Amino acid sequence: MQRNRKKIIKMLIYFLQGALIGTGAILPGISGGVLCVAFGVYEPMMEFLVHPFRSFRKQYTLFLPILLGGLVGFVLLARVVESLFTASATVAIALFTGLICGTVPEMMRKSSASAPKKGWSCFVLTLVLSFIFFSILESGIESNIEANFFWYLFCGLIWGLSMVIPGLSSSSLLLFMGLYQPMTEGIGRLDLQVLVPLAIGFIVTILAASRVVNKLLKEHGTFMSRIILGFVLSSVLMIAPTSFTGTEQLLLSMACFAAGFLIARQMDLVKIKQRQE
């Protein structure tokens, strides 16, 4: 009975994390890949994408709730959080920044576990270069493109890359190009003319790129963990709110950041405790 209870709790946590990943993947400034890393499911997901059936049989208690949660977050919760972004993008981003930062202690622990003093130059280099790269994207010039099948296919390609490359926000890039709003509107309407090319682009990209990433994770695990950590922290530096309209928004953003941090940290502590028992 006790064992079943722990299993249910763990699956509920994975479902919640999947919902947050699915929601964050489509929101401006948030990277689904970063959230996968933050919640400790990035490497298993890369393995799953390369060997889906074998991986699912071995870890169905992880993949089933993650995938179901991701679907719920992508289709349903994204509307809720999109409303929050409309009301106050600063407060919403503060919440997601807190969620990511709350997982950093566990990420640092895992990254240092195998080789505490090895590969940190890769971390520093990745942090600096990725911050410069994301800054260039952030300062891009917004354009308006007439959305069609091929552009929605492109949206899927970019979205797939954002899941494989932590820190790359597909939504920010698509905003600059004027494709984000028609894409999200089409998803909200469950429009097949949007969903089909989006799915094709996403699946093709993620299957191709995940094989490369999975190979690197297996052969150069320590260096890859440092590189991924650099991507994550540079992403946090990019999305963290730095300007506020007033004291009320500042206090609300701080409260949302703290709430996100505590929620993420608590989820990590529950999983750590269950592994030790």
Side-chain angles (χ1 to χ4, degrees):
M1 181 67 71
Q2 183 71 12
R3 186 177 179 181
N4 288 336
R5 182 172 172 272
K6 290 179 182 178
K7 191 174 180 180
I8 291 171
I9 291 173
K10 185 181 290 186
M11 291 182 72
L12 285 173
I13 290 174
Y14 285 140
F15 179 84
L16 177 59
Q17 291 176 335
L20 290 169
I21 291 168
T23 304
I26 202 170
L27 295 175
I30 310 298
S31 165
V34 164
L35 293 173
C36 284
V37 174
F39 295 141
V41 298
Y42 180 78
E43 292 185 32
M45 288 303 294
M46 292 301 103
E47 178 71 24
F48 171 76
L49 293 169
V50 176
H51 304 290
F53 298 108
R54 185 178 72 188
S55 299
F56 190 85
R57 284 196 300 269
K58 287 172 60 178
Q59 298 190 69
Y60 71 93
T61 56
L62 165 64
F63 295 121
L64 184 61
I66 283 282
L67 293 174
L68 288 176
L71 182 62
V72 169
F74 183 76
V75 176
L76 299 178
L77 293 185
R79 297 184 187 181
V80 177
V81 182
E82 185 65 29
S83 299
L84 180 58
F85 263 82
T86 302
S88 177
T90 301
V91 173
I93 291 175
L95 174 63
F96 274 89
T97 304
L99 284 167
I100 297 170
C101 288
T103 65
V104 168
E106 180 62 8
M107 288 167 58
M108 293 289 288
R109 186 193 68 79
K110 286 182 178 179
S111 183
S112 301
S114 57
K117 298 182 180 179
K118 192 177 179 182
W120 287 107
S121 58
C122 290
F123 162 74
V124 175
L125 186 63
T126 303
L127 178 64
V128 173
L129 292 180
S130 59
F131 183 80
I132 293 171
F133 174 69
F134 296 146
S135 297
I136 292 171
L137 283 183
E138 188 71 22
S139 61
I141 300 173
E142 185 174 352
S143 60
N144 289 302
I145 296 171
E146 185 177 348
N148 55 34
F149 180 92
F150 294 103
W151 280 115
Y152 288 131
L153 186 68
F154 174 80
C155 290
L157 293 172
I158 297 299
W159 184 45
L161 282 176
S162 75
M163 295 298 293
V164 176
I165 303 175
L168 176 61
S169 172
S170 59
S171 302
S172 296
L173 181 58
L174 297 177
L175 270 173
F176 298 146
M177 301 180 70
L179 291 168
Y180 180 76
Q181 187 172 351
M183 182 188 73
T184 52
E185 287 176 354
I187 293 170
R189 297 193 310 268
L190 299 179
D191 186 347
L192 292 180
Q193 291 183 328
V194 177
L195 293 175
V196 170
L198 189 66
I200 292 172
F202 176 78
I203 291 170
V204 168
T205 303
I206 207 166
L207 288 179
S210 61
R211 289 183 177 275
V212 177
V213 173
N214 191 58
K215 184 177 176 64
L216 290 172
L217 285 169
K218 286 184 175 180
E219 296 180 0
H220 308 284
T222 300
F223 290 101
M224 283 299 292
S225 70
R226 305 292 194 262
I227 290 170
I228 290 169
L229 186 60
F231 273 122
V232 171
L233 292 184
S234 67
S235 176
V236 170
L237 291 174
M238 283 300 303
I239 69 172
T242 55
S243 60
F244 306 91
T245 56
T247 305
E248 183 179 347
Q249 188 184 69
L250 172 62
L251 294 175
L252 187 56
S253 297
M254 291 173 63
C256 286
F257 175 88
F261 185 94
L262 292 173
I263 289 170
R265 187 65 185 140
Q266 188 59 39
M267 286 192 291
D268 271 347
L269 292 175
V270 169
K271 288 194 290 185
I272 293 170
K273 184 179 179 181
Q274 289 186 336
R275 284 199 300 265
Q276 292 173 344
E277 291 178 351

